[in-house]
Amino acid sequence: MCRWMAWFGQPLRIDELLFKTQHGIVDQSLHARMGAEPTNGDGFGVGWYGTGDGPTVYRSVSPAWSDDNLRELAGSIESPLYLAHLRAAIGSPVQQTNCHPFRHGEWLFVHNGYVGGFRKMRRALMFAIDSDLFADVQGSTDTEAIFYLAITLGLRDDPIGALELTVGLIEATAKRFGVPDAVQGTFGVSDGTSLWATRYATDGRPRSLYASEDVEAIQRLYPDDPRYQRFTPNDRVIVSEPVSDLPGVWNEIPEATAVTVRPGGVLEQRPFRPRVPASALAGEHNA
Amino acid sequence: MCRWMAWFGQPLRIDELLFKTQHGIVDQSLHARMGAEPTNGDGFGVGWYGTGDGPTVYRSVSPAWSDDNLRELAGSIESPLYLAHLRAAIGSPVQQTNCHPFRHGEWLFVHNGYVGGFRKMRRALMFAIDSDLFADVQGSTDTEAIFYLAITLGLRDDPIGALELTVGLIEATAKRFGVPDAVQGTFGVSDGTSLWATRYATDGRPRSLYASEDVEAIQRLYPDDPRYQRFTPNDRVIVSEPVSDLPGVWNEIPEATAVTVRPGGVLEQRPFRPRVPASALAGEHNA
Amino acid sequence: MCRWMAWFGQPLRIDELLFKTQHGIVDQSLHARMGAEPTNGDGFGVGWYGTGDGPTVYRSVSPAWSDDNLRELAGSIESPLYLAHLRAAIGSPVQQTNCHPFRHGEWLFVHNGYVGGFRKMRRALMFAIDSDLFADVQGSTDTEAIFYLAITLGLRDDPIGALELTVGLIEATAKRFGVPDAVQGTFGVSDGTSLWATRYATDGRPRSLYASEDVEAIQRLYPDDPRYQRFTPNDRVIVSEPVSDLPGVWNEIPEATAVTVRPGGVLEQRPFRPRVPASALAGEHNA
Amino acid sequence: MCRWMAWFGQPLRIDELLFKTQHGIVDQSLHARMGAEPTNGDGFGVGWYGTGDGPTVYRSVSPAWSDDNLRELAGSIESPLYLAHLRAAIGSPVQQTNCHPFRHGEWLFVHNGYVGGFRKMRRALMFAIDSDLFADVQGSTDTEAIFYLAITLGLRDDPIGALELTVGLIEATAKRFGVPDAVQGTFGVSDGTSLWATRYATDGRPRSLYASEDVEAIQRLYPDDPRYQRFTPNDRVIVSEPVSDLPGVWNEIPEATAVTVRPGGVLEQRPFRPRVPASALAGEHNA
């Protein structure tokens, strides 16, 4: 169980969402309300665009609440597009290479959830990763394997489509291994120009996911809140769990749904429908 | 808010109490029930006697729940007398030198609680430490200052008496600085031959503290529990919070009380009555 | 023995000096040539101005050569004024609060060298710090004590003068304690508008310190080196040890000398002459 | 480039060899003389038998020279058989799961050297690991892959034979990938009852490796050195680099050689001759 959030809009200092918001994500590191566990203390990461060539990633094995460097950086770095993630490890070691966001080239990737029976299927899934990408896998999480499978299956051309194929591949593999609940969770992806997020579970209810409402609607709801008056129609936030208690600000993203946030705050929504990749059907990935 | 526990009795593997007990102290690192906060994830430490010259201390800034080395060491080290502590930092940095147990020569020291207004009084309290000991203070916690004050005021001859003088000195200093609730908490101390613990608060209810009941009584209560049948009358456990839900096993140590555990499981109880040291009255520590 | 460097000029990406230069400071973390030790692996820090309110500091206990976050940040952060420091600990623990740069308000402070007999004098020096500043001291290094003494003695009004008083105070204290070589080293200080550096030793030869030559002179020397053609007359670098082997680029700062770098690359040089503060003479700091 | 050492004999406190010996292994972490690099600061580990069920492992990403816990543990733990390793990373991240010794059940494994072109061959080598063991690989080093290949190829029955097959497999794979110097280095292995070590390089001179001379011979050489008078004929030390300057104490293990140390200090020596496993020839590992 993890927590993540993404900002896309006007350049915003990172601490605005991480620290300054009521029930912000760093507060969630100690007191998550919607997760399976209230504590998300097994490391964290922030990835942002706009200050270097490609995204910059800061990851640490400290709990977010006690990392002085995070406070420093969040207070001085401003970005139009950033993702933050708090980790609650389930099995794999607490180490920097297991912290999200994962990065490949321009791409950042975060995940809240798990692959059921990952230990059993790890070899089969790792083997399905493009052989040229294999050596780039640095850690041992299910999430990083998912990320490299998605790249293998076309993430760079069609992020949602590639995630549908990836989930389909994992579900087919799980069937082969007799694993019941193959994929659980929400994913966040960006290449610095758009932001994609999905919410899905093979079985049962997926992890929660919310998008901020249209800013004009929020400003009408809270005309006296200076925080919301500063926001513009270009700004969107995607979060595992609402970062404030104000009603009307957050829209739950439905189950089995993907959203795309494009520049200008445009939010598109479509169903998320896993499909087994043809290559897997052909047994290519059965090793 | 922290959690601590101490074992004194037959040589026992450290993981017996840290990991194998229902609601053991590592479980408490994530789910403390009696503390001000459920999470105690700002480092931890274990100190034990019997395997080296004097006590050995293992301290880490990782949360106890994710520290692989702790599992390794706890599973292989056996000691007749050990203290374990989980830290929930309140202000001072998460660093090894701020983790308990603190050690000086043969002595180990743990604390659950705080000095009110420590920031204000830090200089005055540090100045009251014996000048020969001053440079041994390595970290920045109130606890370490208390420990060195207690050594200054006679801990090595009379641990409870020295802690009464230390608390008296802090209370007198607090009065001078206009600080209301000077001292809160429980202390655990050992020199490897006995174990001392106190429970006290200047104002209000002090942090919880429990001693295990007489083992024979426990065995009569739970004749079928193999864990308790292995214990002997020599064995005593002192804990911030009970490590199992079995009724009858734990006696709450009353407020303003000190206990001494001597070899053979002998538990002595006396009132804990802070007194201002004569030197402080004479203004020697007013710098 | 440590290594440090400071950049003041046009906004420059931090990795330009830390990583991309021949024998740059991160290379010096493994292979310092002029220090007492070739390895500076006991943590590091970078402090920079211009991206937040006041300076931002990133400090870590990892060796600089293996810290992925440093590579990430250095590759994406650009600043007109930054200081970097590599630590080689001599006695005090490897912890973030002992890593340079130290910060107080707008001020950053780095040091290469030591206070002789610091353990002996620590209490006396700590109690000479302004009582309102005492609780801000977070670590246990001699450098942090020097920094807070300098603030106590007027750093914010006259940095070089305050350092002369601080060194004078330490030398007077050392005399009292029978310590021979009181102060050794180079200091770097900034408030974000200017940069000050000193080179001094009570006894013997002080640690090395260099300033980059006038850029126009450098460009005449190396007309074909694109790196130097990009530099402007506004740019100055101060370093413990030259970061390239090119002759003519670096001027050694003489012993017992202080330099001030002002905006526009203006470099002023004056003698550094420790003086005992009047307050110390009056015995106020003799506690 | 790493450093390692192993002790097998009478129960000996770990610090005797790690800290108390002239040019001991912790000193080698800063000043190795025979390695490719003088600094081995990318983490370390110690594994020992005799205090728990199976071996206990303490690993840390700190440099060995600054890890307080290592000093504590080494000063209090006594073992008849232990291995210590200092890491100098070449490419893979500095994280606990990349620190040696690696453990599987009763087995400990250390390595000084590298697999040439590991990045290229990583996938092929990983898929040659027994599929039931695949998920146990936690880190990303060449060494851990070698260890699990060796287990796959019979380490538990014939450690030297399995290492010959493993090196043969890697050399065959390297040929396939056009990698010239496949395997370089020394390995140390134990199951708690014996100790095995090998020295080999596909091309050129392998890393250095030494075994302590017969103790009686040493005692005759240095009749007045109390350290050697305490040793018994049961005691053997295997080291990457001699831990003292005394001539006559250390025998270089020849190139392409394996040694077995059995209880009682018996040292057997045989050639180390890589062989390609039949399964690899049959193309089973060509995936």
Side-chain angles (χ1 to χ4, degrees):
Chain A
M1 261 307 298
C2 306
R3 304 277 93 187
W4 63 269
M5 55 143 296
W7 169 264
F8 189 16
Q10 58 179 308
L12 186 74
R13 235 165 62 181
I14 290 175
D15 64 357
E16 285 291 329
L17 281 178
L18 260 59
F19 291 97
K20 297 197 172 167
T21 317
Q22 179 199 12
H23 198 53
I25 197 169
V26 174
D27 179 49
Q28 290 179 24
S29 69
L30 274 170
H31 307 290
R33 284 179 267 190
M34 296 187 167
E37 281 284 353
T39 308
N40 294 279
D42 298 323
F44 69 89
V46 187
W48 64 94
Y49 294 89
T51 63
D53 311 327
T56 302
V57 175
Y58 173 65
R59 303 191 290 181
S60 162
V61 296
S62 305
W65 67 77
S66 65
D67 190 276
D68 286 336
N69 288 320
L70 177 60
R71 267 165 216 275
E72 289 284 318
L73 298 171
S76 81
I77 291 164
E78 205 175 83
S79 163
L81 176 39
Y82 59 86
L83 294 99
H85 184 275
L86 306 173
R87 186 163 180 246
I90 41 171
S92 50
V94 177
Q95 58 191 24
Q96 221 167 290
T97 55
N98 285 349
C99 291
H100 315 210
F102 295 96
R103 179 185 46 195
H104 186 83
E106 299 299 302
W107 293 82
L108 292 179
F109 191 72
V110 294
H111 175 208
N112 170 23
Y114 56 83
V115 170
F118 180 61
R119 213 187 127 72
K120 252 193 201 172
M121 304 196 291
R122 188 178 169 202
R123 186 175 182 270
L125 296 176
M126 289 292 289
F127 212 10
I129 292 171
D130 185 320
S131 60
D132 288 345
L133 295 170
F134 187 92
D136 292 336
V137 177
Q138 296 252 309
S140 53
T141 57
D142 49 2
T143 303
E144 196 183 13
I146 293 170
F147 182 35
Y148 280 93
L149 284 171
I151 299 171
T152 300
L153 295 166
L155 183 85
R156 286 171 288 202
D157 296 320
D158 174 8
I160 304 295
L163 283 168
E164 287 174 328
L165 289 169
T166 301
V167 171
L169 172 67
I170 300 172
E171 289 181 337
T173 307
K175 200 165 288 170
R176 199 147 49 80
F177 279 85
V179 167
D181 66 333
V183 177
Q184 162 57 268
T186 65
F187 299 109
V189 193
S190 184
D191 63 352
T193 68
S194 297
L195 173 67
W196 295 268
T198 67
R199 182 178 181 218
Y200 176 80
T202 306
D203 299 310
R205 207 173 142 65
R207 297 280 183 263
S208 60
L209 192 68
Y210 293 81
S212 59
E213 179 55 277
D214 180 82
V215 166
E216 286 166 12
I218 297 175
Q219 290 175 339
R220 277 195 302 275
L221 268 171
Y222 302 99
D224 302 328
D225 189 323
R227 177 171 307 268
Y228 295 120
Q229 299 310 311
R230 283 205 336 237
F231 281 13
T232 74
N234 293 332
D235 300 334
R236 286 280 180 185
V237 187
I238 307 283
V239 287
S240 299
E241 188 173 318
V243 295
S244 82
D245 289 332
L246 298 181
V249 172
W250 301 102
N251 286 329
E252 189 172 14
I253 293 172
E255 304 188 13
T257 299
V259 299
T260 304
V261 187
R262 302 204 184 277
V266 179
L267 183 89
E268 299 160 5
Q269 188 166 310
R270 50 166 273 199
F272 182 84
R273 295 208 181 97
R275 289 167 292 136
V276 184
S279 57
L281 288 175
E284 202 183 290
H285 297 291
N286 286 352
Chain B
M1 260 307 299
C2 306
R3 305 278 91 187
W4 64 269
M5 54 141 299
W7 168 264
F8 190 15
Q10 57 179 310
L12 186 73
R13 236 165 60 179
I14 289 174
D15 64 358
E16 286 290 329
L17 281 177
L18 259 59
F19 290 96
K20 297 197 172 165
T21 316
Q22 180 199 14
H23 198 56
I25 198 168
V26 174
D27 179 50
Q28 290 180 25
S29 70
L30 274 169
H31 307 288
R33 285 179 265 193
M34 295 189 168
E37 281 283 354
T39 308
N40 294 278
D42 298 324
F44 69 88
V46 186
W48 64 94
Y49 294 89
T51 64
D53 312 327
T56 301
V57 175
Y58 173 65
R59 302 192 291 181
S60 163
V61 295
S62 305
W65 67 76
S66 65
D67 191 276
D68 286 336
N69 288 319
L70 177 59
R71 266 164 218 276
E72 289 283 318
L73 298 171
S76 81
I77 290 163
E78 204 174 86
S79 163
L81 177 39
Y82 58 87
L83 294 98
H85 185 274
L86 306 174
R87 189 164 177 243
I90 40 172
S92 50
V94 177
Q95 58 191 23
Q96 219 167 292
T97 55
N98 284 350
C99 292
H100 314 210
F102 296 97
R103 178 184 48 195
H104 186 83
E106 299 299 302
W107 294 82
L108 292 178
F109 191 71
V110 295
H111 174 208
N112 169 24
Y114 56 83
V115 169
F118 179 61
R119 213 188 126 73
K120 250 192 203 174
M121 305 195 292
R122 187 177 169 204
R123 184 175 182 271
L125 296 176
M126 288 294 288
F127 213 9
I129 292 170
D130 185 319
S131 59
D132 289 343
L133 295 170
F134 186 92
D136 292 336
V137 177
Q138 296 251 310
S140 53
T141 57
D142 49 2
T143 303
E144 197 183 13
I146 294 170
F147 182 35
Y148 280 93
L149 285 171
I151 299 170
T152 301
L153 295 166
L155 183 85
R156 285 170 288 203
D157 296 322
D158 174 9
I160 304 294
L163 283 168
E164 288 173 328
L165 290 169
T166 300
V167 171
L169 172 68
I170 299 171
E171 290 181 336
T173 307
K175 199 165 286 172
R176 201 146 50 77
F177 279 84
V179 167
D181 66 333
V183 177
Q184 163 57 269
T186 64
F187 298 109
V189 193
S190 184
D191 64 352
T193 68
S194 297
L195 173 68
W196 296 268
T198 69
R199 182 179 180 216
Y200 177 80
T202 306
D203 299 309
R205 208 171 142 67
R207 297 281 183 263
S208 60
L209 193 66
Y210 294 81
S212 61
E213 178 58 276
D214 181 83
V215 165
E216 286 167 11
I218 297 175
Q219 291 174 336
R220 276 193 304 273
L221 268 171
Y222 303 99
D224 302 326
D225 189 324
R227 176 171 309 269
Y228 295 120
Q229 298 312 310
R230 285 208 332 238
F231 282 12
T232 74
N234 293 332
D235 300 335
R236 286 282 180 185
V237 188
I238 307 283
V239 287
S240 299
E241 188 172 319
V243 294
S244 82
D245 289 333
L246 298 180
V249 171
W250 301 103
N251 286 328
E252 189 172 14
I253 293 173
E255 303 187 15
T257 298
V259 298
T260 304
V261 187
R262 302 205 183 278
V266 179
L267 184 88
E268 300 162 4
Q269 188 166 309
R270 48 165 276 198
F272 183 82
R273 296 210 180 93
R275 289 165 293 134
V276 184
S279 56
L281 288 175
E284 202 182 291
H285 297 291
N286 286 351
Chain C
M1 260 308 299
C2 306
R3 303 278 92 184
W4 64 268
M5 53 142 298
W7 168 264
F8 189 16
Q10 58 179 310
L12 186 74
R13 236 164 62 179
I14 290 175
D15 63 358
E16 285 290 329
L17 281 178
L18 260 58
F19 291 97
K20 297 195 173 167
T21 316
Q22 180 199 14
H23 198 54
I25 197 168
V26 173
D27 179 50
Q28 289 179 25
S29 69
L30 274 170
H31 307 288
R33 284 179 265 191
M34 295 188 167
E37 281 283 354
T39 308
N40 295 277
D42 298 324
F44 69 89
V46 187
W48 64 94
Y49 294 88
T51 64
D53 313 326
T56 301
V57 175
Y58 173 65
R59 302 191 290 180
S60 162
V61 296
S62 305
W65 67 78
S66 66
D67 191 276
D68 287 336
N69 288 319
L70 177 59
R71 266 164 217 276
E72 289 283 318
L73 298 171
S76 80
I77 290 164
E78 203 174 88
S79 162
L81 177 37
Y82 58 87
L83 294 98
H85 185 275
L86 306 173
R87 188 166 178 243
I90 40 172
S92 50
V94 177
Q95 58 191 23
Q96 221 169 291
T97 55
N98 284 350
C99 292
H100 313 210
F102 296 96
R103 178 183 48 195
H104 186 82
E106 299 299 303
W107 294 81
L108 292 179
F109 191 72
V110 295
H111 174 209
N112 170 23
Y114 57 82
V115 170
F118 180 61
R119 212 189 128 73
K120 251 192 202 174
M121 305 197 290
R122 188 177 169 204
R123 185 174 182 269
L125 296 176
M126 287 295 289
F127 286 106
I129 292 170
D130 185 320
S131 59
D132 289 344
L133 295 170
F134 185 93
D136 291 336
V137 178
Q138 296 251 310
S140 53
T141 56
D142 50 1
T143 304
E144 197 183 14
I146 293 170
F147 182 34
Y148 280 93
L149 284 171
I151 299 170
T152 301
L153 295 166
L155 182 85
R156 286 171 289 203
D157 296 321
D158 174 7
I160 304 294
L163 282 168
E164 288 173 328
L165 290 169
T166 300
V167 171
L169 172 68
I170 299 171
E171 290 181 337
T173 307
K175 199 165 287 173
R176 200 147 47 78
F177 279 84
V179 167
D181 67 334
V183 177
Q184 164 55 269
T186 64
F187 299 110
V189 193
S190 184
D191 64 352
T193 68
S194 297
L195 173 68
W196 296 268
T198 68
R199 181 177 181 220
Y200 176 81
T202 307
D203 299 310
R205 208 172 142 66
R207 296 281 183 263
S208 60
L209 193 66
Y210 294 81
S212 60
E213 178 57 275
D214 181 83
V215 166
E216 287 166 12
I218 297 176
Q219 290 174 337
R220 275 195 304 274
L221 269 171
Y222 303 100
D224 302 327
D225 188 323
R227 175 170 309 268
Y228 294 119
Q229 298 311 314
R230 283 205 337 236
F231 280 14
T232 74
N234 293 330
D235 301 334
R236 285 281 179 186
V237 188
I238 307 283
V239 288
S240 300
E241 187 173 319
V243 294
S244 81
D245 288 332
L246 298 181
V249 172
W250 302 102
N251 286 328
E252 189 171 14
I253 294 173
E255 304 189 13
T257 299
V259 299
T260 304
V261 187
R262 302 206 184 277
V266 179
L267 183 89
E268 299 161 5
Q269 189 167 310
R270 48 167 274 200
F272 182 83
R273 295 210 180 94
R275 289 166 292 135
V276 184
S279 57
L281 288 174
E284 203 181 290
H285 296 290
N286 287 351
Chain D
M1 260 308 297
C2 307
R3 304 278 91 187
W4 64 269
M5 55 143 294
W7 168 264
F8 189 17
Q10 58 180 308
L12 185 75
R13 237 165 61 177
I14 289 174
D15 63 357
E16 285 290 329
L17 281 179
L18 261 58
F19 291 97
K20 298 197 172 166
T21 316
Q22 181 199 11
H23 197 54
I25 197 166
V26 173
D27 179 49
Q28 290 180 22
S29 69
L30 274 169
H31 307 289
R33 283 179 266 190
M34 295 188 168
E37 281 282 356
T39 308
N40 295 278
D42 299 322
F44 69 89
V46 187
W48 64 93
Y49 295 88
T51 64
D53 312 327
T56 301
V57 174
Y58 173 66
R59 303 192 290 181
S60 162
V61 296
S62 304
W65 67 77
S66 65
D67 191 276
D68 287 337
N69 288 319
L70 177 60
R71 265 163 219 277
E72 288 283 319
L73 297 171
S76 81
I77 290 163
E78 203 174 87
S79 163
L81 177 38
Y82 59 86
L83 293 99
H85 185 275
L86 307 173
R87 189 165 177 244
I90 40 172
S92 51
V94 178
Q95 58 191 23
Q96 221 168 291
T97 54
N98 284 350
C99 292
H100 314 208
F102 295 97
R103 178 183 49 196
H104 186 82
E106 300 299 304
W107 294 82
L108 293 178
F109 191 72
V110 295
H111 175 208
N112 170 24
Y114 57 81
V115 169
F118 180 60
R119 213 188 127 74
K120 253 192 201 174
M121 305 197 289
R122 188 177 168 205
R123 185 174 181 269
L125 297 176
M126 288 295 288
F127 287 106
I129 292 171
D130 185 320
S131 59
D132 289 344
L133 295 170
F134 186 93
D136 291 337
V137 177
Q138 297 251 309
S140 52
T141 56
D142 48 2
T143 304
E144 197 184 13
I146 293 170
F147 183 33
Y148 281 93
L149 284 171
I151 299 171
T152 300
L153 295 166
L155 182 85
R156 286 171 289 203
D157 296 321
D158 174 8
I160 303 296
L163 283 168
E164 287 173 329
L165 290 169
T166 300
V167 170
L169 172 68
I170 299 172
E171 289 181 337
T173 307
K175 200 164 288 172
R176 201 148 47 80
F177 280 84
V179 166
D181 66 333
V183 177
Q184 164 56 268
T186 63
F187 299 109
V189 192
S190 184
D191 63 352
T193 69
S194 297
L195 172 68
W196 295 269
T198 69
R199 182 178 180 217
Y200 177 80
T202 306
D203 299 309
R205 208 173 141 64
R207 298 278 185 264
S208 60
L209 192 67
Y210 294 81
S212 60
E213 179 55 277
D214 180 84
V215 166
E216 285 167 14
I218 298 175
Q219 290 174 338
R220 276 194 304 273
L221 268 171
Y222 302 100
D224 302 327
D225 189 323
R227 177 170 308 268
Y228 295 119
Q229 298 312 311
R230 282 204 339 234
F231 281 13
T232 74
N234 293 331
D235 301 334
R236 285 281 180 185
V237 187
I238 307 283
V239 288
S240 300
E241 188 173 318
V243 296
S244 81
D245 288 331
L246 298 181
V249 172
W250 302 103
N251 286 328
E252 189 171 15
I253 294 173
E255 304 189 14
T257 299
V259 299
T260 305
V261 187
R262 304 206 182 278
V266 179
L267 183 89
E268 299 161 6
Q269 189 166 309
R270 48 165 274 199
F272 182 83
R273 296 207 180 97
R275 288 167 291 136
V276 184
S279 57
L281 289 175
E284 204 181 289
H285 297 290
N286 286 352

